[in-house]
C-alpha cells in the first residue's frame, strides 16, 4: 500500500494520459517543474490568470487578509473586504447591475444565475417560466445544472440522467455555420432559431444564457458582436431575462473589461469568476439588476433566495479580487492586452498556410486554430500528440480536441508569445505531416 493517497486529476485519463507534471513554483508566465524545466503557461492555467503568476501585490493582499479575517459565515454577516469589492466592481461592470451575490467558482456563479432567474419568475407569480434557452456548443461548467446548459459533448455523455432539459438555439459558429451562410455576407440568420423559440414559447422561458462573443470550452468559437446584440434585443422584446456567462470573457479577455461592452449589452444577470481574483483564489460573483433583485423583496419569506456556499464571500477571495482590480488601475493592463491582440493579428494568419488549418479566429487576448483532422471534437486523435509536443517544447497548451488555442496571462512578453506561435507552427507541421 502506498503511503499517500493517489490523486485523481480532473480531465485526466488514468491509463492514457501522461503522468501529471509537478510544478514547484510559478512567476509571471512561467511554471517551474520539479525536474528543472520551465514551461510558458500559454493557457493562463485554465484561463484564470491575468496579471501573471505569484503577482506580489495580490499575494500580499491575500496574506494580509488571512492574518486579519480568513473566513466568516456570509449569511447575516458582512465584512470590509466584501464591501470594498462591491464598490470596486461597481466602477467596472456595465451600468444597471446593482446587486452582487458571491460564491466560489465559475460553475456556482452560473448555477446561482439560473436559480435566480427561475425564482425571479416564481416570486412574481409566473411559475410556468421555468425553461432556459442555451446555445449549441455552450459550456457553462461541470455541476449538474451547468452541464444541463452545456451542449452535449464527451464532458456530459455519462451524465444524461442528471441533466435537466433546456431549449437549444443556434450558436454563431461561422466556420460551421448552422444555417449554411457565409461569414461577412449574412444577416446573422442563425438568430432565427432563438427568435422562433421566443415567439412560440416565451411564456415558458425564464432566461436566455450566452457566453458573450466567445464560447470557450465548446471550441473557442468567436461570435460577431451583432449576434450578441441580436440575442439581447430578442430577449428584451420577449420580456425574458438575459444571463451573460462572463466567467471566461470577463476582466479584459476579449479586449474590453467585459465582452458585453463590445456589443453595448447589459445583461440582467452577469456571472464572473476566473480572472476576478487575478487567478489566485476560487471565487465568483453573480450580479443582477434591480428588476431581478426586486422580485425577492417584500413581505413573503418564501421569496428568500435559498442558496449559499460555506465559503461564500470568502474575505481572502474578496481581498484578491480588490488587489487584482488595483493592478488594472496601476499597471498598463490594457496596453498589454492590446500588444497581445496585435501579435495575434500578425501571427495567426500565417498559420492558415498549413493545409490542415480549417479556420483561424481571434478576439482580444484569445487566438484559436481549428484543424481539419477528420475527427473533430474533444476526443480528436490529434489532441494528445499536440499536447505532448507542446510540453516537450516548453509550452503549456491544451488543445480542445482539434482546436489549438492560445490564451496567455496579459503579462506575456512579445518574444514569449512569438515563441508560443513558433511552437504551434512547428507542432501543426509535426502532427499533420
Ligand atoms: N462558464 C464558462 C464560460 C467557463 O469557461 C467555465 C470554465 N471553463 C465555467 C463557466 C465553469 O467555471 P469553473 O471551472 O470555475 O467551475
Amino acid at each position: 500500500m502506498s503511503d499517500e493517497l493517489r490523486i485523481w486529476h480532473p480531465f485526466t485519463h488514468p491509463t492514457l494520459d501522461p503522468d501529471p507534471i509537478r510544478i514547484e513554483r510559478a512567476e509571471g508566465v512561467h511554471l517551474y517543474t520539479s525536474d528543472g524545466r520551465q514551461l510558458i503557461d500559454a493557457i493562463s492555467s485554465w484561463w484564470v490568470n491575468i496579471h501573471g503568476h505569484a503577482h506580489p501585490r495580490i499575494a500580499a493582499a491575500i496574506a494580509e487578509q488571512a492574518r486579519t479575517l480568513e473566513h466568516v459565515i456570509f449569511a447575516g454577516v458582512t465584512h470590509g473586504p466584501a464591501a470594498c469589492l462591491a464598490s470596486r466592481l461597481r466602477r467596472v461592470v456595465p451600468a444597471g447591475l446593482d446587486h452582487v451575490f458571491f460564491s466560489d467558482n465559475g460553475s456556482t456563479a452560473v448555477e446561482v444565475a439560473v436559480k435566480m432567474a427561475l425564482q425571479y419568475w416564481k416570486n412574481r407569480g409566473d411559475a410556468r417560466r421555468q425553461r432556459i434557452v442555451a446555445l449549441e456548443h455552450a459550456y457553462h461548467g461541470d455541476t449538474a445544472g451547468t452541464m444541463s446548459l452545456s451542449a452535449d459533448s464527451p464532458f456530459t455523455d455519462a451524465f444524461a440522467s442528471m441533466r435537466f432539459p433546456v431549449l437549444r438555439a443556434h450558436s454563431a459558429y461561422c466556420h460551421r455555420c448552422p444555417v449554411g451562410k457565409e461569414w461577412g455576407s449574412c444577416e446573422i440568420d442563425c438568430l432565427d432559431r432563438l427568435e422562433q423559440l421566443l415567439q412560440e414559447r416565451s411564456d415558458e422561458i425564464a432566461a436566455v444564457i450566452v457566453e458573450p462573443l466567445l464560447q470557450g470550452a465548446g471550441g473557442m468559437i468567436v461570435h460577431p458582436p451583432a449576434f450578441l446584440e441580436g440575442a439581447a434585443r430578442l430577449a428584451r422584446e420577449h420580456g425574458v431575462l438575459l444571463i451573460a456567462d462572463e466567467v471566461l470573457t470577463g476582466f479584459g479577455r476579449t479586449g474590453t473589461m467585459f465582452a458585453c461592452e463590445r456589443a453595448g449589452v447589459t445583461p440582467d444577470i452577469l456571472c464572473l469568476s476566473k480572472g476576478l481574483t487575478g487567478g489566485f483564489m476560487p471565487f465568483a460573483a453573480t450580479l443582477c439588476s434591480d428588476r431581478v433583485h426586486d422580485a425577492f423583496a417584500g413581505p413573503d419569506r418564501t421569496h428568500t433566495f435559498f442558496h449559499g456556499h460555506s465559503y461564500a464571500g470568502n474575505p481572502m477571495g474578496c481581498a484578491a479580487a480588490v488587489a487584482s482590480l488595483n493592478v488594472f488601475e496601476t499597471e498598463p493592463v490594457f496596453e498589454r492586452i492590446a500588444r497581445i491582440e496585435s501579435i495575434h493579428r500578425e501571427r495567426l494568419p500565417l498559420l492558415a498556410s498549413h493545409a490542415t488549418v480549417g479556420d483561424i479566429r481571434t478576439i482580444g487576448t484569445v487566438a484559436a486554430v481549428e484543424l481539419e483532422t477528420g475527427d473533430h471534437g474533444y476526443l480528436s486523435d490529434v489532441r494528445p500528440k499536440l499536447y505532448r509536443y507542446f510540453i516537450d517544447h516548453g509550452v503549456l497548451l491544451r488543445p480542445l480536441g482539434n482546436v489549438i488555442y492560445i490564451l496567455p496571462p496579459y503579462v506575456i512578453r512579445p518574444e514569449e508569445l512569438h515563441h508560443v506561435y513558433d511552437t504551434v507552427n512547428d507542432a501543426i507541421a509535426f502532427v499533420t505531416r
Side-chain angles (χ1 to χ4, degrees), residues 47 105-108 110 139-141 211 245 247-248 273-274:
W47 324 342
N105 62 69
S107 303
T108 59
V110 177
Y139 175 85
H140 294 286
E211 289 160 88
D245 174 354
V247 166
L248 161 60
S273 186
K274 295 201 189 268

Side-chain angles (χ1 to χ4, degrees), residues 76-88:
V77 169
T78 193
H79 46 72
C84 182
L85 177 57
S87 86
R88 296 297 300 281

Side-chain angles (χ1 to χ4, degrees), residues 21-41 53 416:
I21 306 159
R22 196 170 180 119
I23 302 299
E24 295 278 270
R25 64 183 186 90
E27 192 181 341
V29 294
H30 292 115
L31 307 175
Y32 297 92
T33 68
S34 55
D35 58 4
R37 287 174 299 140
Q38 190 176 315
L39 295 172
I40 295 180
D41 183 358
H53 288 278
E416 292 161 341

Side-chain angles (χ1 to χ4, degrees), residues 335-412:
E335 283 170 36
R336 293 171 183 156
I337 290 170
R339 201 165 60 201
I340 295 172
E341 285 184 292
S342 88
I343 296 175
H344 283 333
R345 279 197 298 268
E346 174 197 337
R347 294 293 308 262
L348 193 58
L350 302 178
L351 297 177
S353 63
H354 290 278
T356 41
V357 169
D359 191 31
I360 51 168
R361 36 192 189 251
T362 181
I363 182 167
T365 65
V366 182
V369 183
E370 180 165 339
L371 302 179
E372 297 300 333
T373 49
D375 64 344
H376 69 88
Y378 192 78
L379 298 180
S380 164
D381 279 345
V382 82
R383 196 239 174 233
K385 296 180 202 152
L386 285 165
Y387 177 74
R388 185 75 269 160
Y389 186 95
F390 294 135
I391 297 296
D392 288 347
H393 291 80
V395 180
L396 178 60
L397 283 170
R398 288 176 53 93
L400 292 157
N402 58 317
V403 177
I404 304 170
Y405 68 92
I406 305 172
L407 193 158
Y410 306 157
V411 292
I412 193 165

